Amino acid sequence: MAEDTQPKEQEVRAPRGRGPRRGRPFGPPPGGADGSAEREFTEKVLYINRSAKVVKGGRRFSFSALVIAGDRKGRVGLGLGKAREVAEAIRKGGEIAKQNLAPVARRAATIPHDVLAFYGGAQVLLRPASPGTGVIAGKTVRAVLEAAGIKDVLSKSLGSKNAANVAKATLAALAQLRLREDIYRLRGLALPVSASEKAAAGAAEPVNP
């Protein structure tokens, strides 16, 4: 039998390494060329609860996540997301929190005046503090205040320790804050001039010989 003298075709193997990227498409991230619209908000999970439903095949678990979101510039919101997975519940809670953003009146890095708010069995007391004091608050109240951009404040949480009620009481307290300029403008009154402003205005006026 004559031997086959034709050369055998060599198998061409693909080079080893990572395959094509999956999932994330090429191009700039959503919300701008650098994703600034997504990074301007800060989110923090306050509480995750697990509930179980007994069905024919066993127990079916679901999760709820309480998320606070804010831009650290005077806007903050709270959201409660529910799903079968923890990650999905957190994502839903963050989206709901961003939809519920509300403005907060600030005086520099603190609040303009004392305020006490109630929600359910929770009570939250907020007081302004001098620069450099920091946020003196518990875990839940601190997360809400930091998301709103408040850096110097004194607080006390009274009554219930339920995370949802404490967070909502803190938001109710922030919603009660008013600046003096806004109050005078709503009442149609002229803003009074303080003694320090009068002294500064007198020092600025030239003295005639």
Side-chain angles (χ1 to χ4, degrees):
M1 181 182 292
E3 296 183 357
D4 189 2
T5 57
Q6 295 181 357
K8 296 182 178 180
E9 297 181 357
Q10 297 181 354
E11 295 182 358
V12 180
R13 295 183 179 181
R16 296 183 179 181
R18 298 177 60 182
R21 297 178 62 184
R22 298 180 180 178
R24 182 177 300 176
F26 291 97
D34 56 350
S36 58
E38 293 294 332
R39 289 200 301 264
E40 68 175 344
F41 292 101
T42 175
E43 297 181 8
K44 188 169 184 180
V45 180
L46 301 180
Y47 182 73
I48 295 179
N49 184 49
R50 186 187 74 171
S51 60
K53 179 181 179 180
V54 180
V55 295
K56 185 176 181 180
R59 289 190 297 175
R60 182 179 299 170
F61 296 100
S62 62
F63 300 89
S64 61
L66 188 67
V67 182
I68 190 74
D71 59 357
R72 297 182 181 271
K73 298 179 182 179
R75 291 193 303 165
V76 65
L78 185 69
L80 179 65
K82 299 180 181 180
R84 296 286 179 85
E85 301 292 337
V86 177
E88 184 67 13
I90 295 176
R91 185 190 65 79
K92 288 183 178 180
E95 292 180 354
I96 296 173
K98 292 178 182 178
Q99 295 174 1
N100 297 332
L101 291 176
V104 176
R106 298 180 300 166
R107 175 77 65 183
T110 185
I111 57 178
H113 54 82
D114 296 8
V115 62
L116 175 65
F118 302 84
Y119 190 92
Q123 306 175 29
V124 173
L125 171 66
L126 302 179
R127 287 184 174 178
S130 57
T133 303
V135 179
I136 310 301
K139 175 184 176 182
T140 304
V141 179
R142 174 188 294 272
V144 177
L145 296 176
E146 289 180 348
I150 298 174
K151 300 179 181 179
D152 301 307
V153 67
L154 303 174
S155 70
K156 182 66 176 178
S157 178
L158 308 169
S160 173
K161 303 300 180 183
N162 181 274
N165 287 347
V166 172
K168 292 177 181 179
T170 306
L171 290 176
L174 295 177
Q176 296 178 18
L177 296 176
R178 295 290 185 274
L179 294 175
R180 185 180 66 163
E181 295 83 357
D182 297 337
I183 296 176
Y184 274 86
R185 186 178 66 254
L186 292 175
R187 295 181 180 179
L189 302 176
L191 188 66
V193 181
S194 62
S196 59
E197 293 176 351
K198 290 181 179 179
E205 292 180 358
V207 179
N208 296 327

